[in-house]
């Protein structure tokens, strides 16, 4: 396997890490007004991701940096043609981070409700923008022979791409419920458990639809395997949730997500950004990859840097591994 193909797989792995970690992160924000009926319960929800949400966002930065270093043509083509959803994504991520930091600065219900609204809206919009960009990468954009987009910024809003936006948001919502069932106790856990069981199948349907469209339009015979794995493990996660095995359900959702990412990137290969105008104008791995010297350098950098990042983030999750309930929430300290 040559270095461009290796880095194509690494970027797929980075997207998998981002969707898995930031997925439940977004899901918690979506469920804030649904499962948090009292202020102490809403603080429980926020505290489940408080120590890790900013670290989860690093995966998006690393994925973009890896794309810039290893496939500058892919980076330039995608960001210049899908700049609108990327801009919206960055704005809502900034607003979401500010809301987490500021909601507790003033001890009034009106202040907290305002920032909670920002958290909820941003937590819905962000995964939809991620799904839109990811689907546009797989299904393509109207690129001409020079790799430039034909049409306005809204040409990205095709039915398959919109389906991808809905699928990522739906998975994040379900993933967040599974995470809260694993991470909380008391009334919040019971409601999260009930939510996952009640809406699990409907929330998986957009994901299944996205994978089937990708497979039937762009997939190879071998990509049926990860697609089936994604479907079976997604249903198995709901089955384990039904018997109270929250940890197993959460892990199985991760396996289902891995199968979905392999299916999508397998359908994309050997291109990195297909052209919907003419397949000959698609951007391929070979055309957009950096020089062998550059790829060798970034491979050595990744070989030393990645283990350190994984150990640090794994240690963070281990330290904050215990369940959280309302009894762990201290009184509000007025600023």
């Amino acid at each position: 396997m040559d270095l461009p193909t290796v880095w194509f797989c690494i970027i797929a792995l980075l997207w998998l890490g981002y969707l898995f970690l930031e997925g439940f992160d977004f899901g918690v924000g979506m469920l804030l007004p649904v499962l948090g009926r009292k202020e102490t319960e809403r603080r429980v929800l926020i505290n489940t991701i408080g120590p890790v949400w900013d670290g989860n966002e690093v995966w998006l930065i690393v994925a973009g940096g890896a794309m810039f270093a290893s496939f500058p043509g892919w980076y330039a083509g995608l960001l210049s043609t899908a700049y609108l959803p990327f801009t919206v994504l960055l704005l809502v991520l900034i607003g979401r981070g500010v809301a987490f930091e500021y909601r507790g600065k003033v001890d009034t219900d009106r202040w907290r409700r305002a920032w909670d609204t920002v958290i909820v809206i941003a937590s819905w919009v962000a995964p939809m923008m991620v799904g839109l960009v990811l689907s546009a990468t797989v299904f393509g954009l109207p690129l001409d022979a020079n790799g430039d987009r034909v049409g306005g910024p809204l040409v990205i809003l095709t039915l398959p791409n919109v389906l991808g936006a809905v699928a990522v948001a739906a998975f994040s919502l379900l993933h967040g419920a599974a995470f809260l069932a694993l991470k909380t106790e008391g009334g919040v856990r019971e409601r999260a458990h009930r939510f996952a069981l009640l809406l699990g199948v409907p929330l998986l349907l957009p994901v299944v639809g996205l994978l089937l469209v990708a497979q039937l339009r762009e997939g190879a015979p071998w990509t049926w395997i990860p697609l089936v794995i994604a479907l079976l493990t997604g249903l198995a996660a709901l089955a384990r949730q039904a018997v109270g095995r929250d940890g197993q359900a959460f892990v199985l959702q991760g396996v289902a997500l891995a199968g979905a990412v392999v299916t999508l990137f397998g359908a994309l290969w050997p291109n990195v950004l297909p052209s919907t105008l003419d397949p000959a104008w698609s951007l391929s791995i070979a055309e957009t990859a950096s020089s062998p010297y550059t790829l060798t350098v970034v491979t050595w950098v990744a070989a030393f840097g990645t283990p350190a990042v994984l150990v640090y983030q794994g240690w963070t999750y281990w330290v904050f591994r215990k369940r959280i309930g309302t009894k762990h929430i201290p009184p509000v300290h007025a600023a």
Side-chain angles (χ1 to χ4, degrees):
M1 185 181 295
D2 58 3
L3 279 178
T5 303
V6 169
W7 273 97
F8 178 81
C9 296
I10 290 174
I11 290 172
L13 182 62
L14 291 171
W15 274 104
L16 170 61
Y18 178 70
L19 291 170
F20 179 78
L21 295 174
E22 194 82 315
F24 70 74
D25 197 323
F26 289 143
V28 172
M30 294 176 182
L31 291 167
L32 188 62
V34 179
L35 304 183
R37 297 179 179 176
K38 299 181 295 184
E39 170 58 18
T40 52
E41 292 179 339
R42 288 189 287 273
R43 289 177 64 191
V44 166
L45 266 69
I46 292 174
N47 284 1
T48 61
I49 58 174
V52 297
W53 67 266
D54 47 355
N56 294 343
E57 290 183 357
V58 170
W59 286 77
L60 178 63
I61 299 172
V62 175
M67 189 184 297
F68 175 78
S70 56
F71 295 99
W74 183 7
Y75 178 90
L78 181 60
L79 268 72
S80 62
T81 55
Y83 64 85
L84 184 59
F86 270 117
T87 301
V88 174
L89 174 62
L90 291 176
L91 289 175
V92 296
L93 288 179
I94 292 171
R96 188 169 178 266
V98 171
F100 282 138
E101 297 296 334
Y102 273 69
R103 77 176 301 275
K105 298 300 183 182
V106 177
D107 186 19
T108 66
D109 291 338
R110 182 178 180 181
W111 175 270
R112 284 189 289 264
R113 279 198 304 268
W115 289 114
D116 286 349
T117 300
V118 174
I119 292 173
V120 174
I121 293 175
S123 296
W124 275 98
V125 174
M128 295 184 72
M129 293 301 103
V130 170
L132 198 63
V133 170
L134 186 60
S135 298
T137 303
V138 174
F139 297 117
L141 289 165
L143 305 177
D144 61 19
N146 297 320
D148 298 324
R149 186 191 65 211
V150 177
L154 298 183
V155 294
I156 195 173
L157 297 177
T158 62
L159 285 178
N161 293 346
V162 172
L163 176 61
V166 174
V168 173
F171 175 81
S172 298
L173 188 58
L174 179 60
H175 201 36
F179 174 76
L180 289 171
L182 174 66
K183 196 72 174 64
T184 61
E185 59 184 34
V188 174
R189 178 178 181 269
E190 293 172 2
R191 289 193 288 274
H193 185 81
R194 193 160 53 244
F195 181 93
L197 293 180
L198 182 64
L199 295 179
V201 172
L203 290 174
L204 285 177
L205 289 179
V207 181
V208 175
L210 173 65
L211 296 181
L212 287 176
V213 171
Q215 177 63 31
L216 295 176
R217 287 183 52 169
E218 310 290 345
W222 70 268
T223 51
W224 280 106
I225 298 174
L227 190 155
V228 172
I229 291 174
L231 176 60
L232 294 179
T233 51
L235 294 175
L238 296 179
R240 300 312 293 164
Q241 194 93 59
V243 295
R245 307 298 291 182
D246 301 322
Q248 295 178 13
F250 187 69
V251 171
L252 284 169
Q253 282 190 1
V255 176
L257 178 62
V261 169
V262 172
T263 302
L264 294 175
F265 277 84
L268 175 62
W269 189 88
N271 294 318
V272 292
L273 192 60
S275 171
T276 57
L277 300 179
D278 188 337
W281 296 341
S282 299
L283 302 180
S284 68
I285 293 176
E287 293 171 339
T288 59
S290 296
S291 67
Y293 176 78
T294 301
L295 291 176
T296 301
V297 171
V298 295
T299 299
W300 279 105
V301 171
F304 285 99
T306 303
V309 173
L310 292 176
V311 168
Y312 171 75
Q313 194 162 25
W315 175 80
T316 303
Y317 276 95
W318 176 256
V319 169
F320 296 100
R321 66 189 182 278
K322 293 184 178 180
R323 292 183 182 270
I324 302 174
T326 54
K327 66 182 181 182
H328 300 111
I329 303 300
V332 174
H333 294 283

